[in-house]
Amino acid sequence: MLLAVDIGNTNTNIGVFSKDKLLVNWNVASDLKRTVDEYGILILNLLNSLNETKIEAAVISTVVPPLGEIFKEALRKYLKIDSILVSHKLKLPFEIDLDDPKELGADRIANAAAAVKLYRLPVIVIDFGTATTFDIVDKHKKFVGGIIAPGLKIQANSLSSFTSKLPKVKIEAPKTAIGKNTINAMMSGIVKGHACMIDGMIELCEKELGAVNKANIIATGGFSSVLFPNLKNPFNHINKDLTLLGMKYLYELNK
């Protein structure tokens, strides 16, 4: 079985694959204060909840490099396995056409890999994490660039942190654009405003791609379903496991 560890700024997603099937995935907090032993014991406890716990290999994607090293050592110490770290140096199913390929984050590499394997090109992958990222692969399998914008939680937290009267809010889709109270007005600005940004950016990206057909729009991340009904042009696919699937594919290409 393959263990895939996707380390984000806020949460870490841990998945277990048996052949081509994702058996289970867990979300834990990304905490730099935890030690190698704490993460090792945590992983063992999670695996003990499965009937089969024989992990033969691991792949790690991280946007927090120190946590990547902690997880790598924890897996070596507690599971006796080495890990493949996702980076631009791996064998990839696409060409990176950027000014500096090493700037491309591991999660975005994994998303692009999954998109190339699973979907029609050109493709725009939109990942709703701490940041909202767009990753664009053209019809020639070139990763031509992307977009990075503040995520929904960042926007909500910023409004409550930098203003004296605006409260902390739970992010959910408003029914109308015009808010009749403070909470609804905030939700409109955050959710519907974000949706308008996405619609506009997709339109700009498609113009720059020069695609005869519209790009294939793939969404992943926790807020995909919140934004879906607020878009002018809905996503073609929502795949919540896209990053883990991309990591598995990259492991297979590089084992």
Side-chain angles (χ1 to χ4, degrees), residues 155-170:
Q155 293 183 50
N157 290 340
S158 295
L159 281 175
S160 61
S161 297
F162 291 101
T163 56
S164 59
K165 291 188 176 181
L166 295 181
K168 290 185 177 181
V169 292
K170 178 183 177 182

Side-chain angles (χ1 to χ4, degrees), residues 36-100:
V36 167
D37 293 316
E38 286 174 318
Y39 274 117
I41 293 168
L42 170 65
I43 290 169
L44 283 180
N45 287 336
L46 291 173
L47 293 175
N48 283 338
S49 66
L50 297 175
N51 292 328
E52 298 181 56
T53 58
K54 180 59 178 174
I55 301 296
E56 298 162 332
V59 57
I60 297 173
S61 164
T62 182
V63 296
V64 189
L67 263 184
E69 292 303 319
I70 290 172
F71 268 95
K72 188 174 182 179
E73 181 58 30
L75 296 179
R76 184 183 294 119
K77 183 175 181 180
Y78 284 85
L79 298 184
K80 312 301 180 189
I81 56 174
D82 287 319
S83 308
I84 290 177
L85 285 175
V86 175
S87 80
H88 70 286
K89 296 179 181 179
L90 294 180
K91 180 182 179 181
L92 303 175
F94 54 86
E95 178 186 345
I96 300 177
D97 185 17
L98 299 178
D99 295 336
D100 188 353

